[in-house]
Structures are given as C-alpha cells and as structure tokens.
Amino acid sequence: MNTATGSTVGRLLLRGMLAGLLAGLFAFAVAYVAGEPSVDASIAVEEAAAAKEAHADHGATSGHAAEHAADEEEEIVSRDVQSTAGLATGVLVYGVALGGIASLAFCFVLGRVGRFTPKATAALVAAAAFTTVYLVPFLKYPATPPAVGNPDTIGKRTTLFFLMIALSVLLGIAAVVAGRRLAPRLGNWNATLVAGAGFAAAVVIACAVLPGNEDAVQEGFPAAVLWDFRLATLGIQLALWAAFAVVFGLFAQRLLTPREAAAPAAPAASAV
C-alpha cells in the first residue's frame, strides 16, 4: 500500500472531519442515554449535601436567607440545555477536531506500518488514538462527575491530565518507531510484542511518578454513581473511536482504492 500523496491529504482531511462529525453524533446518543443519568445523580448528591450543610450551619432561622441566596445564583444555562444542545455541541466539535487530527495521522502512517488496507489502517489509527489519548490517561486520572472534586484544585488536575495525555502520545509514537526499527531483526510479530511491552512499562513508570488526585472525589460520595459515570465516559469514547474507524475506513477505502481495480473487468467482445 502506497503512502498518501499530497493531492489526497486534503480530501482525506475533509473526510476525516466528516467521519468525526458522524462519530460525534453517535457518541452524543450514547452520552445522552448512558452518561446523563449519572450526571443528574451526581448533581442531586451535591445539592443534597449543600442543603444539609447550609441547614447545619445557619439553622432553621436562616432558611429564608439561604433560599434567597440560591435564587440570586440562578443558572445562566439551564440543566435541560446543558444536557441537550450543550452536550451535542461539545461532543460534535470534539469529534470533528479529533477526526481531522486522526485523518492526518492516517496519512502519515499509511504504508509505513505494514501492508494494511485503508480500512485496517483507519482501525489501527483509531485504536491507537483511543488508547493513548483517553484510555491511558483515564487509568491514571479517571473522570469524575461535575462538582465532585475540590474546585480550588481544578487547574492542577487539568494540567496533570493533559500532561498524562502528552506523555502517553509521545510514548506511543516512540513505541511505533522502536517497533519499526526492531522489525528487520526480530520480525514484525516479535518487534510488536517488544515495543508494546516497552510502552506498557513506560506507562507504568509515568503513572508511578506523576502525583495522584487525592481530592478528586469528596469523601462519602456514592461509589455506584461514581462507577456509573466513569463507565459511561469510557463507553462514550469507545463509541466515538469505533464509529470513526468504521466510517473513515469506508471513506478512505473508496478514495484510495483505484476504480479500475475495484470494478470487474469488462468481458471481451465476442467475435462475429
């Protein structure tokens, strides 16, 4: 399989963004059905805890003042809008952006990591992106529902999460390069195993060195709600990248496969 030429990169980029948009629609459906219930449950836990704390601190005589303060802090965007239009906008923009980046990665690796078809290459790129961009960082810094952790440390937690993403991507690239260099001596299969083991070992070391999020979850938060939320976020990402692999693989296969090779040969004209 030849590498993508400059004339096809732009078309693959557009198809990657379109595939990311379609994958984002699928991920939005999964997020709305599987993710929003755990978010609502988390908000309910937070509101109950806040009401209990306010009642304990101020007593029954200050109840009217607390209600008045709550009215003054009315939401700028309602929860219904957040869970529908807001969620859809965020997921779709995320899908388009990652689809474009993944399509460029596809152009780079096509024909360089083995004689794979465009469909298989798209699946490999999607699997690698899911693993390095989300799964590995998730193992170190798993997602938490909104308003669960200490708001004073959100900057630190965000920085650590993106640092883990950067390390994971760099380690993944290093593993691919190492696998290619070892392949002539060890063979493709053995080189892949060695590179994969090295990637896993490096990830373990990175997870051990980087600090944890001790205050990411408040004490006493329901474990079932936390588990459901984390499982849902993992499922949303898996749905996004699986859909992208299928859709973009079809787009790339149709674009890169020569028409004359795909079409059946015309029968020879019979002699009269």
Side-chain angles (χ1 to χ4, degrees):
M1 179 63 62
N2 296 328
T3 59
T5 62
S7 62
T8 60
V9 171
R11 286 179 287 175
L12 285 169
L13 175 61
L14 291 176
R15 284 163 173 77
M17 295 173 69
L18 178 58
L21 178 64
L22 297 176
L25 286 172
F26 180 62
F28 164 70
V30 176
Y32 186 78
V33 173
E36 284 303 305
S38 59
V39 174
D40 290 335
S42 173
I43 293 174
V45 170
E46 180 206 10
E47 291 176 346
K52 182 178 179 181
E53 182 179 356
H55 180 75
D57 291 343
H58 303 292
T61 57
S62 61
H64 178 71
E67 292 178 1
H68 180 68
D71 292 338
E72 291 181 347
E73 297 178 358
E74 185 179 355
E75 291 179 324
I76 299 177
V77 180
S78 67
R79 174 67 187 134
D80 290 338
V81 174
Q82 293 175 9
S83 62
T84 52
L87 176 63
T89 301
V91 174
L92 293 180
V93 171
Y94 179 80
V96 171
L98 290 187
I101 296 172
S103 66
L104 295 178
F106 170 89
C107 294
F108 178 77
V109 304
L110 183 64
R112 292 185 172 93
V113 294
R115 300 180 60 83
F116 296 107
T117 65
K119 285 183 181 180
T121 304
L124 289 173
V125 169
F130 169 74
T131 300
T132 57
V133 176
Y134 189 78
L135 181 59
V136 169
F138 177 87
L139 295 176
K140 175 61 178 178
Y141 303 116
T144 55
V148 171
N150 184 353
D152 296 334
T153 63
I154 188 171
K156 175 185 175 182
R157 288 184 277 135
T158 302
T159 300
L160 289 174
F161 183 75
F162 279 103
L163 176 60
M164 191 65 205
I165 291 177
L167 286 175
S168 177
V169 172
L170 291 175
L171 291 173
I173 294 174
V176 173
V177 173
R180 289 190 60 195
R181 293 185 176 181
L182 291 173
R185 287 184 293 172
L186 302 179
N188 290 333
W189 178 252
N190 291 333
T192 301
L193 291 179
V194 171
F199 173 76
V203 166
V204 170
I205 294 173
C207 290
V209 171
L210 290 175
N213 283 339
E214 295 82 4
D215 59 348
V217 181
Q218 296 174 352
E219 184 177 356
F221 187 83
V225 175
L226 181 62
W227 170 255
D228 290 342
F229 178 83
R230 288 178 173 174
L231 193 62
T233 57
L234 190 62
I236 293 166
Q237 290 288 329
L238 184 60
L240 175 71
W241 286 110
F244 174 81
V246 173
V247 176
F248 182 70
L250 292 174
F251 287 166
Q253 188 77 23
R254 293 186 61 180
L255 176 64
L256 298 175
T257 302
R259 293 182 180 180
E260 58 271 15
S270 58
V272 178

